[in-house]
Amino acid sequence: MEARLNVFSNPVLTKAMKGLIAANKAVGESSVPAATQELVRIRASQINGCGFCLDMHTKEALHAGETTLRLNLVATWREATVFTEAERAALELTEEATRIADAAGGVSDEVWATAAKHYDDEQLGALVAEIALINAFNRFNVTVRQPAGDYQVGQFG
């Protein structure tokens, strides 16, 4: 597959992506565990069908020490026994926030309450920002048909 636009040379997309990357650094500095952040990125990217982001975040997660077993089971996290209750809460929040149009009212009070049992306000803010940001990245990449498979760990800094 060939991209419809080169996001790395298009001046508007480059500026927009730089803004998202800067915002993502704030999330990365939060106290949400790095593994949870990657699981959130992977799950949203699976839902949105973003191969480029899946390629990037599975490679980054493996490089950071995540196991292939857990990565292989992200899409079926409800049935898998390898995720903590906190990770499950983050994954459920990710699913509802990513599929926001599928439920009247968006994220349910129950899902929010479960997440709030495991994460403080700073962490909840980071999770909300991370989910919004990965969904934005997914939409850029899916729209331009950014090809997957060539990402190198640390490629973007």
Side-chain angles (χ1 to χ4, degrees):
M1 178 182 354
E2 192 168 317
R4 292 173 168 160
L5 285 174
N6 184 334
V7 298
F8 307 111
S9 67
N10 182 289
V12 174
L13 288 176
T14 299
K15 280 184 184 178
M17 289 285 196
K18 284 181 181 178
L20 291 176
I21 291 166
N24 210 42
K25 285 183 181 177
V27 173
E29 294 168 359
S30 77
S31 61
V32 174
T36 302
Q37 291 182 40
E38 288 297 351
L39 293 173
V40 163
R41 293 176 188 129
I42 290 165
R43 185 64 191 126
S45 299
Q46 289 172 333
I47 292 166
N48 292 323
C50 185
F52 184 82
C53 287
L54 281 169
D55 181 32
M56 175 190 298
H57 294 295
T58 55
K59 287 175 180 173
E60 290 290 347
L62 284 168
H63 181 74
E66 188 58 80
T67 67
T68 55
L69 174 65
R70 283 169 42 96
L71 292 178
N72 289 337
L73 294 173
V74 171
T76 59
W77 63 268
R78 282 181 177 82
E79 295 83 21
T81 60
V82 297
F83 301 105
T84 67
E85 289 303 313
E87 289 168 337
R88 290 173 178 284
L91 289 166
E92 188 171 36
L93 181 63
T94 301
E95 286 189 3
E96 284 205 4
T98 298
R99 294 182 168 134
I100 204 160
D102 293 348
V107 174
S108 71
D109 290 339
E110 293 79 18
V111 167
W112 185 263
T114 300
K117 288 179 191 173
H118 299 282
Y119 300 100
D120 62 25
D121 284 352
E122 181 262 347
Q123 293 170 320
L124 286 168
L127 286 169
V128 169
E130 182 60 54
I131 294 163
L133 289 165
I134 193 60
N135 275 280
F137 280 117
N138 290 167
R139 280 152 178 75
F140 275 116
N141 290 320
V142 170
T143 301
V144 302
R145 293 187 179 161
Q146 189 66 30
D150 296 329
Y151 179 79
Q152 301 295 314
V153 171
Q155 182 174 330
F156 299 121

